[in-house]
Amino acid sequence: MTESPLPPGGDPPQPLRRRFLTPRSLGIASAVSAGAAAVALVFATQMAVQATAPEPGPSSTPIAADSTDENAPEKAETVAPPAVVAAAYDQLSGAEVEYVRHLGAQAPEFAAGVDVFGEPGLQFLSTDVADPQAYTDGQRRLLSLYYDYGTDETVSMIVNASTGAVESVDRASGSQPAPTDAETELAWRLLLESDAASALSEQFATLTAGSSLTPGSAEVELTAHSFVSDAAAFGAESCGAQRCVQLLAQVDGGSFLTTSTYVVNLSTRTILTVA
């Protein structure tokens, strides 16, 4: 069997001996793209629509701001419902995603949570259509996923878009959906504030003819993965029970910085070295 060649000058895009959940990619100081994340939970399995992206086109995935952004639906005083309520099996629209996120933020469980920056309010992760086969009334329901940094639990919220009611809120521990832009950017900043920064800065300077590495360096494109510890990952045993992220940092579309030996624990804001 022939192994795939490694990219020059750094880590491979998919390091061995690591168990990742679905990756989340974004460009720091450049356009941010959204994708779909497969999320396995105790109480639900959904294809999750990511939190942020450029303005969608007619056939693109609907988006909204991170819940920590000032223009987030969770922080709006009011959000109008969609002009037409979609049928149970219809695709998501940006308008209904914002609407159900705003409705979810009115639930007491949302305000009782803590986001990635330690502020009140759950950290929004994703929204998707709730399985229509689980219901018999034909009404439109969406499933939103959040993370509570106060309890290290993933929170699942079912919102009925037809009636405007939050119908259920469930929690699960040990489940780690893909990180959002806000979580990824914080993980990158924490990594560059750690002892790992010196070696990363030297690599970056070599690859960019002497440029300085900062959290906003436009030459860096990040791919972030939720990291769950397994038998092969020594040094990050808390990951899975706590919210951990591993970063891959590509420079100018070519070489990768050596980041695969580090995991950022966002729950404790510490940098873990894994082997």
Side-chain angles (χ1 to χ4, degrees), residues 57-152:
S59 61
S60 66
T61 301
I63 55 87
D66 252 305
S67 56
T68 52
D69 293 347
E70 288 302 318
N71 61 339
E74 289 82 359
K75 296 183 179 181
E77 291 188 7
T78 59
V79 173
V84 177
V85 177
Y89 285 90
D90 286 351
Q91 293 184 347
L92 286 170
S93 70
E96 68 173 346
V97 170
E98 293 194 0
Y99 177 57
V100 300
R101 285 180 57 181
H102 176 73
L103 292 176
Q106 312 314 306
E109 293 87 349
F110 180 88
V114 178
D115 69 21
V116 68
F117 297 112
E119 298 296 326
L122 295 171
Q123 178 70 42
F124 172 75
L125 300 179
S126 61
T127 294
D128 193 23
V129 178
D131 184 6
Q133 296 183 0
Y135 306 92
T136 59
D137 56 13
Q139 294 183 344
R140 177 73 161 180
R141 292 175 174 85
L142 300 190
L143 167 68
S144 290
L145 298 180
Y146 304 85
Y147 198 79
D148 187 347
Y149 278 88
T151 62
D152 276 314

Side-chain angles (χ1 to χ4, degrees), residues 21-22 38-39 41 125-126 145 147 154 175-179 183 226 243:
L21 299 185
T22 305
V39 180
L41 297 177
L125 300 179
S126 61
L145 298 180
Y147 198 79
T154 302
S175 175
Q176 297 297 341
E183 292 175 307
S226 294
R243 184 80 163 149

